[in-house]
Structure formats: structure tokens, C-alpha cells
Amino acid sequence: MRETAVPFGAWSAEFRAALAGDGATDVPCGTCTACCSASQFVHIEPDELDALAVIPAALRFPAPGLPAGNVLLGYDEHGRCPLLGAQGCTIYDVRPRACRTYDCRVFAATGLSGRLAAEADKAAIAERAGSWRFVAEDERAERALDAVRRAAAYLGEHPEVFTDVGRVPPSTTGRAVLAVEVSELFRPHDASPSPDEVRAALRARS
Ligand code: SF4
């Protein structure tokens, strides 16, 4: 697969904004539908009225462990989103927030593409993620990219920062997103945050 260069600083700003609810990621997916065909549940929150209005009730079910009103959209026997049509997403303009913020470039940014490839039904996403090659626009972006990668490694090596507070260590996808969100703690290069500092950062973003 041909490599595509991605400027890290610009990508990071857009991705963080999307996570904060300000806009959507703008992945140049082309004809790829790997993440729509990877046996993934899509979480839809109670305030997502536009999405809920077009997703048939028969396709939704209550999200385990979350307050009433939170639902999941499942997938068909082939692992495909039931709303994925021959020409792509059939509800694109009102797609759920989870889809708006999904960005396989996060696996390349965090160095977790290889780990994702080992998960069931995620090989195609990992392959696509492997096509992105991050480039730092300047020294600041270089430090930020390094911090994201060290944060991702830390979260994998220290599952106790989750289990100590009664949480399950996240999937590779969750770990990649959290690594971006807590990466400030890992700047500069020799920063070595304590487990308590990481726990506090994780609590602050949840
Ligand atoms: S795997 Fe990546 S490129 Fe493919 S559809 Fe999903 S976000 Fe787009």
C-alpha cells in the first residue's frame, strides 16, 4: 500500500478538537471501509438525536454498564456495519460521533499498528494504518509525537493505572486515544510521570 505523509502537528490539533466535540476528523479514506467492516460496536450517546433518528431501533441495543439512553449499533454476520452500503456509509451526514472521530491514523501516531493487527478482525485497519507516515513539521511537533509514542508504550506497560481505579485496561483503540490525551505528561523527552499523575490525567479526561 502506498505511503501517505501526514504532518503530525496539524493532525494532532484536528484529532484533539474532534475528541473534544469540536468538528470531525478528516481522514482521506478514499474507497477504504476497513473500520466499518471490522466487527466493531458503535457507541451512540443519548444526545445524538440526528443519528438516533435514522438508525432503526432494531439495530440498537442498550450499552452495557452505561446509563440508560446509551446504545450500541452492532454489525452483521460478516462484521460489517449494517448501515454500510455499496457506495459507503448510508447515513454519513448524520453518522454517530464515534464514527466522526474515528481515525486510523492514531495507530500510526502511537506506534500501535502492529499491536492492532493481532486483534481479531482488525488486520485491514492495521494495514491501512501502516500506510500513514507521520512527519514532524518542526521541533515542537517532533517532541509532541515522541510524547504520544512514549505515552502509548507507558499505558501498555502499566495496566495498574487502570486496574487500581477499577477500570479494565483499554483495547488497542482505547489505548491509542488515551495516549494522545495524556501525552502532555510525557514531554519533554526525559519526563517520567508517576503512576499517580497518569491516573489523575486519565480521571480528568473521563
Ligand atoms: S480504516 Fe482508516 S482509512 Fe479506512 S475507512 Fe477507517 S478511518 Fe478511513
Side-chain angles (χ1 to χ4, degrees):
M1 193 174 288
R2 191 167 61 86
E3 279 195 343
T4 303
V6 183
F8 180 76
W11 172 82
S12 177
E14 178 190 276
F15 186 63
R16 287 168 177 272
L19 291 178
D22 183 11
T25 57
D26 186 19
V27 191
C29 302
T31 57
C32 179
T33 56
C35 59
C36 316
S37 314
S39 304
Q40 307 210 81
F41 291 105
V42 177
H43 175 204
I44 305 161
E45 296 176 271
D47 66 333
E48 297 189 66
L49 301 182
D50 290 345
L52 290 166
V54 297
I55 298 174
L59 297 178
R60 308 182 231 134
F61 58 93
L66 292 177
N70 286 272
V71 298
L72 296 180
L73 168 65
Y75 47 86
D76 69 15
E77 66 272 28
H78 304 295
R80 288 168 56 92
C81 173
L83 297 169
L84 178 62
Q87 306 302 319
C89 180
T90 57
I91 60 164
Y92 188 81
D93 289 345
V94 290
R95 65 197 186 286
R97 186 175 293 129
C99 305
R100 291 177 187 277
T101 57
Y102 192 90
D103 187 335
C104 67
R105 294 174 294 186
V106 75
F107 301 110
T110 51
L112 293 177
S113 300
R115 183 179 171 83
L116 183 73
E119 290 189 1
D121 299 328
K122 303 295 186 294
I125 301 175
E127 183 181 357
R128 184 63 199 254
S131 75
W132 310 116
R133 181 174 53 82
F134 276 95
V135 290
E137 302 97 316
D138 51 31
E139 197 178 321
R140 178 183 167 81
E142 192 174 323
R143 286 199 303 271
L145 177 56
D146 174 70
V148 162
R149 292 192 170 149
R150 291 194 304 114
Y154 180 98
L155 295 178
E157 291 161 4
H158 295 275
E160 71 275 12
V161 296
F162 299 99
T163 54
D164 286 356
V165 293
R167 289 174 59 175
V168 176
S171 65
T172 302
T173 301
R175 182 172 144 197
V177 172
L178 289 171
V180 173
E181 294 185 317
V182 305
S183 61
E184 302 294 334
L185 285 176
F186 291 82
R187 288 196 238 180
H189 182 72
D190 58 357
S192 181
S194 70
D196 278 344
E197 289 175 304
V198 177
R199 287 187 195 97
L202 291 171
R203 279 196 204 95
R205 51 77 49 203
S206 59

